[in-house]
């Protein structure tokens, strides 16, 4: 699946310089690029990232934040801002909007983002609801494996699962490799019942998809769904209206046909649970990675929000992320939609 090209970046170009002036080439002491030469080339071709212009691009975004949102409580470090530039192919305006959306999302859904740290989600992590596989796919994408059947609704609400997903995405996006390559999601819907599916109604679906599409700096390259029961037609009917066409086209439903899955994700990178040869699915390694990052998450998500951050009230969050009204999400309406797939 090739990444479709976006509009050209709205950034300074070589034409704006005098003939004798060269673009800056040295990185500041605060940022050291960790990309391999291969990934530098990939970033140039797919994301329009030019190493010789990288610092100028970051400074331009930093200046925009300071001018348009001077009271926004956000990191302005090079490495942090680069996440947003890469996610929007170095288009300054779109990168700025993504940054604002990112913070708006966090303010608009306190049930998910308050006290967001690994130690608060030990039960979810121990359940095996999600993990990151140890091997990347042939394009270098990390594979986030989600298994909804591991969730027992009586133990904790669905928002705890969403917290665990967001926590994992935050950890993954720290890697420049992931910023360039993106991620793949492998969702195993084996054993998902009607009663469990009904927890994921339009209100929750709209908010989660709004974050993933417009409120987080990550590139989702594919979503592979396996072992989906007939009920998944109802689940997907709830999700699809909120998906952009580009993302909707990246959903692949394989059912129980693992050979179909293997045409996209080779057997040598998959655990034996999915017909692979990479051993049994192990959740302990990724859980250890997250738990070792406790202090980072405490600094980022467990501090009081400054009062001046009310400036975000002027910036509307992505569609579907306003948190007050339940958007007529009655359980009866959700179940009737799900029943229709039988």
């Amino acid at each position: 699946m090739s990444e479709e090209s976006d509009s050209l970046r709205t950034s300074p170009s070589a034409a704006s310089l005098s003939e004798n002036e060269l673009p800056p080439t040295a990185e500041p002491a605060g940022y050291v690029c960790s990309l391999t030469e291969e990934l530098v080339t990939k970033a140039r071709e797919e994301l329009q990232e030019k190493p010789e212009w990288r610092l100028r691009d970051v400074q331009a975004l930093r200046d925009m934040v300071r001018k348009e949102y001077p009271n926004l409580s956000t990191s302005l470090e090079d490495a942090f801002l680069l996440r947003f530039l890469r996610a929007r192919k170095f288009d300054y305006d779109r990168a700025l909007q993504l940054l604002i959306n990112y913070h708006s999302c966090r303010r608009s859904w306190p049930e998910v983002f308050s006290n967001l740290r690994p130690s608060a989600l030990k039960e979810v992590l121990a359940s095996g609801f999600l993990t990151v596989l140890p091997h990347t796919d042939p394009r270098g994408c990390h594979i986030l494996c989600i298994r909804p059947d591991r969730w027992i609704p009586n133990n904790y609400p669905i928002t705890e699962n969403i917290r665990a997903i967001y926590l994992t995405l935050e950890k993954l996006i720290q890697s420049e490799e992931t910023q360039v390559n993106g991620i793949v999601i492998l969702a195993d819907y084996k054993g998902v019942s009607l009663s469990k599916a009904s927890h994921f109604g339009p209100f929750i679906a709209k908010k989660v998809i709004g974050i993933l599409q417009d409120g987080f700096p990550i590139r989702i390259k594919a979503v592979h769904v396996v072992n989906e029961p007939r009920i998944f037609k109802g689940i997907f009917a709830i999700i699809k209206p909120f998906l952009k066409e580009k993302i909707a086209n990246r959903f692949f439903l394989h059912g129980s046909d693992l050979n179909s899955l293997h045409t996209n994700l080779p057997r040598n990178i998959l655990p034996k649970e999915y017909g692979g040869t990479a051993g049994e699915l192990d959740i302990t390694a990724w859980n250890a990675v997250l738990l070792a990052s406790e202090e980072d998450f405490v600094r980022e998500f467990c501090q009081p929000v400054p009062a001046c951050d009310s400036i975000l009230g002027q910036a509307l969050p992505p569609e579907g992320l306003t948190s007050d009204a339940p958007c007529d999400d009655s359980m009866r309406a959700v179940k009737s939609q799900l029943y229709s797939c039988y």
Side-chain angles (χ1 to χ4, degrees), residues 228-285:
E228 69 273 17
R230 287 182 296 173
I231 192 68
F232 187 80
K233 292 181 181 179
I235 299 174
F236 196 66
I238 293 172
I239 295 173
K240 194 170 182 179
F242 309 124
L243 293 174
K244 294 178 179 178
E245 182 180 2
K246 180 172 70 173
I247 298 296
N249 290 338
R250 294 179 180 179
F251 271 74
F252 300 90
L253 309 183
H254 301 283
S256 58
D257 183 4
L258 294 182
N259 288 328
S260 172
L261 175 66
H262 298 157
T263 61
N264 296 275
L265 300 177
R267 296 176 68 241
N268 66 316
I269 68 172
L270 292 173
K272 71 175 188 179
E273 286 85 348
Y274 302 109
T277 59
E280 295 184 356
L281 183 63
D282 175 30
I283 66 171
T284 59

Side-chain angles (χ1 to χ4, degrees), residues 7-17 47-50 53-61 64 85 88-95:
S7 59
L8 293 176
R9 74 170 86 181
T10 54
S11 59
S13 66
S16 66
L17 295 177
L47 308 181
Q48 291 131 42
E49 174 176 348
K50 299 180 180 179
W53 292 105
R54 188 184 289 130
L55 299 184
R56 181 181 288 249
D57 293 337
V58 170
Q59 186 60 47
L61 179 57
M64 291 174 72
L85 286 165
R88 291 297 180 261
K89 298 185 177 180
F90 283 77
D91 183 313
Y92 295 172
D93 292 328
R94 294 176 65 226

Side-chain angles (χ1 to χ4, degrees), residues 176-243:
E176 289 195 281
E177 179 182 343
T178 300
Q179 293 168 28
V180 174
N181 289 330
I183 66 167
V184 166
I185 297 175
L186 173 60
D188 182 358
Y189 276 85
K190 181 180 180 179
V192 174
S193 63
L194 173 64
S195 61
K196 187 175 290 188
S198 65
H199 288 267
F200 193 71
F203 178 60
I204 296 289
K206 196 173 185 181
K207 291 173 78 73
V208 170
I209 292 169
I211 291 172
L212 294 178
Q213 291 188 143
D214 299 309
F216 195 84
I218 202 161
R219 307 172 70 208
I220 299 177
K221 305 299 292 182
V223 179
H224 295 284
V225 180
V226 297
N227 298 320
E228 69 273 17
R230 287 182 296 173
I231 192 68
F232 187 80
K233 292 181 181 179
I235 299 174
F236 196 66
I238 293 172
I239 295 173
K240 194 170 182 179
F242 309 124
L243 293 174

Side-chain angles (χ1 to χ4, degrees), residues 114-143:
S114 296
N115 193 35
L116 185 64
R117 51 180 171 175
S119 63
L121 293 165
K122 285 184 177 179
E123 187 174 5
V124 182
L125 298 178
S127 74
F129 169 78
L130 88 169
T131 192
V132 174
L133 302 186
H135 304 289
T136 59
D137 80 351
R139 296 173 299 176
C141 303
H142 280 289
I143 303 170

Side-chain angles (χ1 to χ4, degrees), residues 4 6 20 25 28 112 114 131 163 167 198 224 230 239 322:
E4 57 202 52
D6 284 18
N20 296 325
T25 56
V112 169
S114 296
T131 192
R163 281 159 59 81
L167 196 79
S198 65
H224 295 284
R230 287 182 296 173
I239 295 173
T322 50

